[in-house]
Amino acid sequence: MTPKLLERSRLDDLVSILSNDYQVFGPVARKADVSFQEVSSAEMLDLNYTTTTLPPKKFFHLRETLLEYREGEFNAPELDLERSILLFGVHPCDLNAILRMDRLLSKEFVDLYYLRRRENSAIVALNCTEVGENCFCASLGTGPAIDKGFDLLLTDLGDSYLVEVGTLRGQRMIEDLNLEDASQADLRKKEELLEAARAKFKKSIRMEGLAEVAAESPDHEVWTLIGESGGLAGCFPCLSCGNCSLVCPTCYCYEVADIPDITLRAGVRRRELDSCQLLEYAKVAMGHNFRPDRKSRVRHWMTCKFGGAGGGLESSCVGCGRCIHSCPAHIDLTEVAKALWGE
Amino acid sequence: MAKLRCGFFKFTGCAGCQMEILRLEEEFPRLLELIDIAYWPMVTTRGWEGDLDVAFVEGSVSTPRELREIKEIRERSKVVVALGECALTGCIPSIRNFMLQREAEKRVYDHPLWIESIAVRGLDVYIEVDIHLPGCPPHRNTILEVIKGAALGRDPYLRRHSVCIECKLKDNGCLLTDEGRPCMGPLINAGCGAICPSLNRVCEGCYGPMSATNASSHAQILKEIGLSEADIRRKFRKYAGWTPDFRREAE
Ligand code: SF4
Ligand code: SF4
Ligand code: SF4
């Protein structure tokens, strides 16, 4: 379908049409951060945002009840899927992360809860014409633009948005707006703006082969510097606080526990996101812990983000920069990569 | 299922942890189907007789009498629960340890000679504690979890990670990394549900050190955002200054 043009002043028309069929969530500015929140008008959106505190994974696999049990019987609760959700203004890095999770959680390991929530969701993506200070998606090919995974894709051209359609569902979303076709000049403008954005990145990472380099360097001094003492490029040693993995769009590991109610005969099985940076994560039966020291935990987390852990490339970094911003110690994955490459 | 014979003891502390148990108003009738209150001066005049399945001990050890009593509690109980931060770390009363004993006594009492006190310490220093229930006071859900765990004969499910995890699970903005405010969350044991950061207040550390703290690194971070050395010392001293985790930063 030919790309369309949506005048900026008509953004609210789009949001209100979407609100008829979906519960719409988009980036909303808060006191000092931006968060995906429910919106009812375009006015509430902050589409100039660079990043949100939690990625869209907050809608798919943050924490939930897996089953309810009573006297030896159990059943899975009905997921709250009455209304489909629509995520508005998802950036390419985050959408790429969602697509990776879709693959990872639907193959040998099928996560029905995740998949049902995903099936119940629609996405209006937003290309990045501005770049955050911690972003480095360009060096990973996961941004600042995307060409798949969305129902609609917006690019901010200034006075208007270029609207590209990814699915039949997306086509229906804009049907009633009677948008005019974008011109060749509009399409050229999109490419120019994205080219200009590519030139704005301050951070980058050389990812190809990095997992192997990390695997071959378990005793590299960089792990001591960030895991024990010294720091690297102005950072302090890791706190094992887990912020980095909680905010990472490709960190999906979770913890499961049975919570009995007061009768002890019934209860719920809950899961919530976990983090390999936490001491208890690698604790197994009989109390053994195979990653008891901070250095081995931070090394494992980084190696996973380089694509060298169980999730392979699907759980590797998409360059969103959240872990850098959210790390109280300012530990920077791109600096760790440089040190490993000997740069 | 036989009911658990439980005793509730108060040492040096404010009684807030016991109050937190009483605040389980809704659950209390069902709770009494699980436990027998064998001894609890706050709610019954009944004296302490016989052995206990579970002893909940609130408060720190700070007198010779408490020292004798904690040993007796240990001998007469299958499971000893350190209930709350005072019992775990000495908590706020342990600030006293940073000054001379006699000076502290003089500040409070007209006749310090009548006082018999020793350094304020958690129960761990004197006896083997089976279950550590952090918090000043512990969250009611974690108290329930301990009782349910004991009734089921398994360890309670108490996570020992940072407050930051709970804070992020609630999708809060970060007071430290977004606003440069001195939050202790990255060092502090979870369990409260990140109440303070959720209400725009920095975590002061009332659940004590989590399982894998890096206090010296956090002290550098606090310095970087502009805290004076004296303020950093106060931050570490406030709730758990006498613990191995925080002592160096608290001195
Ligand atoms: S590792 Fe960091 S930069 Fe990469 S995707 Fe995760 S949070 Fe974003
Ligand atoms: S956010 Fe930083 S300090 Fe916390 S666990 Fe991750 S790397 Fe370590
Ligand atoms: S506000 Fe405090 S507790 Fe919450 S994530 Fe930030 S440092 Fe951690």
Side-chain angles (χ1 to χ4, degrees), chain A residues 15-310:
Chain A
V15 173
S16 57
I17 282 183
L18 295 173
S19 303
N20 292 334
D21 295 323
Y22 300 93
Q23 200 178 354
V24 182
F25 295 86
V28 171
R30 301 192 293 197
K31 188 165 46 112
D33 74 334
V34 177
S35 160
F36 281 101
Q37 299 286 336
E38 188 166 1
V39 293
S40 53
S41 70
E43 221 183 10
M44 297 169 74
L45 293 166
D46 176 11
L47 292 182
N48 295 322
Y49 83 110
T50 50
T51 187
T52 52
T53 291
L54 282 184
K57 76 177 176 184
K58 94 173 210 192
F59 298 102
F60 303 124
H61 50 156
L62 195 60
R63 54 173 157 188
E64 66 192 331
T65 296
L66 297 176
L67 58 87
E68 292 155 356
Y69 61 88
R70 177 172 296 280
E71 313 272 4
E73 306 273 319
F74 66 89
N75 66 288
E78 283 301 313
L79 298 186
D80 179 20
L81 300 177
E82 248 166 54
R83 284 197 80 190
S84 297
I85 65 167
L86 181 139
L87 306 186
F88 195 99
V90 177
H91 281 167
C93 58
D94 283 344
L95 184 46
N96 272 302
I98 292 173
L99 297 176
R100 288 181 187 188
M101 288 300 108
D102 289 353
R103 290 193 292 267
L104 187 74
L105 302 177
S106 64
K107 287 190 177 155
E108 54 242 77
F109 175 75
V110 179
D111 189 329
L112 287 174
Y113 299 82
Y114 173 88
L115 292 174
R116 291 213 44 204
R117 290 217 166 78
R118 269 291 284 140
E119 280 161 15
N120 196 49
S121 68
I123 289 179
V124 175
L126 174 67
N127 278 333
C128 296
T129 47
E130 288 303 326
V131 167
E133 57 174 334
N134 294 317
C135 300
F136 53 100
C137 59
S139 54
L140 292 163
T142 47
I146 192 159
D147 58 10
K148 58 183 179 303
F150 50 80
D151 295 292
L152 292 177
L153 169 67
L154 307 180
T155 308
D156 187 347
L157 300 182
D159 297 334
S160 51
Y161 287 95
L162 183 75
V163 183
E164 292 167 82
V165 175
T167 60
L168 201 61
R169 184 166 62 176
Q171 194 173 330
R172 276 198 223 106
M173 290 173 186
I174 54 168
E175 233 160 38
D176 292 344
L177 287 171
N178 295 318
L179 301 178
E180 61 178 275
D181 286 351
S183 66
Q184 283 304 316
D186 294 325
L187 296 179
R188 265 200 309 278
K189 186 153 185 208
K190 169 191 167 186
E191 290 314 322
E192 279 163 24
L193 285 168
L194 291 171
E195 234 5 78
R198 281 191 186 93
K200 290 180 194 162
F201 284 89
K202 294 195 202 93
K203 289 189 195 291
S204 66
I205 196 167
R206 208 172 115 208
M207 193 63 105
E208 222 184 289
L210 187 55
E212 289 72 33
V213 173
E216 284 159 16
S217 327
D219 300 316
H220 197 285
E221 67 158 345
V222 68
W223 307 126
T224 310
L225 291 173
I226 63 171
E228 281 170 14
S229 61
L232 173 81
C235 83
F236 300 113
C238 174
L239 301 163
S240 298
C241 63
N243 273 304
C244 49
S245 69
L246 266 282
V247 299
C248 177
T250 60
C251 276
Y252 59 92
C253 288
Y254 57 84
E255 156 87 356
V256 182
D258 286 352
I259 316 289
D261 72 14
I262 190 86
T263 69
L264 306 181
R265 288 189 289 269
V268 291
R269 177 165 295 173
R270 299 264 307 157
R271 73 165 162 186
E272 64 185 24
L273 282 182
D274 202 353
S275 167
C276 60
Q277 297 276 29
L278 308 177
L279 178 63
E280 294 76 14
Y281 179 91
K283 197 167 160 191
V284 292
M286 310 296 288
H288 180 67
N289 194 325
F290 50 91
R291 273 183 228 117
D293 57 310
R294 204 182 314 281
K295 191 170 129 180
S296 64
R297 292 195 296 274
V298 79
R299 181 178 61 212
H300 176 80
W301 186 77
M302 294 272 172
T303 305
C304 177
K305 298 299 109 185
F306 298 155

Side-chain angles (χ1 to χ4, degrees), chain A residues 243 328, chain B residues 163-164 167-168 172-177 183-186 194 197 203:
Chain A
N243 273 304
Chain B
V163 174
C164 296
C167 199
K168 283 288 184 293
N172 291 336
C174 178
L175 303 176
L176 179 58
T177 62
C183 188
M184 295 295 274
C203 170

Side-chain angles (χ1 to χ4, degrees), chain B residues 7-10 13-23 37 39-46 58 83:
Chain B
F8 299 83
F9 301 83
K10 180 185 180 296
C14 74
C17 299
Q18 295 182 69
M19 284 304 296
E20 201 59 20
I21 306 179
L22 290 175
R23 281 191 56 224
I37 299 175
Y39 177 74
W40 193 354
M42 196 187 238
V43 302
T44 154
T45 51
R46 194 166 149 193
E58 174 203 79
L83 174 66

